[in-house]
Amino acid sequence: MRSELFQQAQETRQPGMHPQNRKMLRVGLNGEFYARQGSMVAYQGRIEFAYQGAGGVGRFMKKAFTGEGLPLMKVSGQGDVFLAHEAWDVHLIDLEEESLTVNGANVLAFEPTLNWDIQKVRGFGGMVAGGLFNTVFTGRGRIAVACHGSPVLLNVDQPTFVDTQAAVAWSTSLQADIRSTVKAGAIIGRGSGEAFQLALQGQGFVLVQGSEGAPTPTNG
């Protein structure tokens, strides 16, 4: 049996987190890591999946209060694990004793050597539907992020404004606020993507995806 597909889709064999292709992450596992709940598409070997929750009392309280957070599972064992998120593009970021803020909606997986916490972005509080609370990673390790649409990396050396749902990640050195560019009376019935932006100032960068994210499916 022959097909170009069999060559193009051949499994990679490197240990740790590596892109299998643009849409899928492969983890050659001998230990553990953390991943978004429901992101596993296949695995081989002796692998266990455990609900992780918010990962600590402080983070749990923030998640309960805000409705935001990072729905995690701990993946452990020996074998190969394949992850994906709605066919979004997968990108890897290596931190080397550094910090990075990531939109929780874009986190696909990360190594356990990293510390993480849910932190608030200053702004209009409950008026903002998304992007108010994000996840800050610190330390040394690898993060896999999923982007809906091809991203652009913007150098922030002047005031920069990004849709709250399009911002994937940004430097923790930046001052971040939520800003509105329309009057309160004009935003009734409009989503945060129209009325509110993430305002960034200082020196650093922001990674912006080419979409405001896929629409959330409704039940019924």
Side-chain angles (χ1 to χ4, degrees):
M1 187 179 298
R2 293 181 295 174
S3 172
E4 291 183 2
L5 173 64
F6 297 153
Q7 295 298 321
Q8 296 170 355
Q10 193 79 21
E11 178 187 352
T12 63
R13 291 293 182 180
Q14 295 173 289
M17 292 184 182
H18 294 278
Q20 172 62 36
N21 53 49
R22 287 180 53 210
K23 308 291 185 180
M24 189 180 298
L25 177 73
R26 175 190 177 275
V27 184
L29 183 61
N30 183 16
E32 65 181 34
F33 70 98
Y34 296 98
R36 170 173 294 278
Q37 289 178 29
S39 62
M40 184 275 294
V41 295
Y43 71 92
Q44 294 177 309
R46 302 181 64 179
I47 306 295
E48 294 184 355
F49 302 88
Y51 172 69
Q52 183 63 23
V57 175
R59 287 177 292 211
F60 175 80
M61 293 301 294
K62 292 175 186 177
K63 179 180 173 70
F65 177 73
T66 65
E68 299 292 329
L70 187 55
L72 286 179
M73 59 183 179
K74 182 168 73 172
V75 186
S76 57
Q78 292 181 314
D80 301 319
V81 184
F82 298 86
L83 305 174
H85 179 60
E86 298 180 350
W88 290 16
D89 291 343
V90 176
H91 302 274
L92 296 175
I93 301 172
D94 290 306
L95 297 186
E96 298 177 347
E97 300 301 337
E98 299 161 305
S99 295
L100 181 69
T101 302
V102 184
N103 190 329
N106 297 93
V107 176
L108 181 62
F110 60 92
E111 294 179 335
T113 54
L114 290 168
N115 296 314
W116 64 280
D117 193 17
I118 299 171
Q119 294 190 4
K120 180 180 179 180
V121 178
R122 297 181 301 175
F124 284 82
M127 293 177 63
V128 183
L132 182 61
F133 285 78
N134 294 284
T135 308
V136 177
F137 292 94
T138 305
R140 180 180 294 272
R142 176 164 284 188
I143 307 168
V145 297
C147 297
H148 189 243
S150 299
V152 59
L153 187 69
L154 300 180
N155 180 45
V156 178
D157 55 7
Q158 58 184 316
T160 301
F161 302 87
V162 183
D163 184 281
T164 57
Q165 295 172 340
V168 174
W170 60 92
S171 305
T172 53
S173 58
L174 295 173
Q175 177 182 325
D177 300 271
I178 299 295
R179 299 283 178 86
S180 174
T181 54
V182 297
K183 295 181 179 179
I187 65 174
I188 297 175
R190 302 176 69 182
S192 63
E194 297 294 335
F196 297 97
Q197 297 85 41
L198 177 69
L200 299 169
Q201 298 187 66
Q203 297 290 325
F205 68 87
V206 58
L207 184 66
V208 183
Q209 65 187 9
S211 167
E212 294 180 1
T216 302
T218 57
N219 297 325

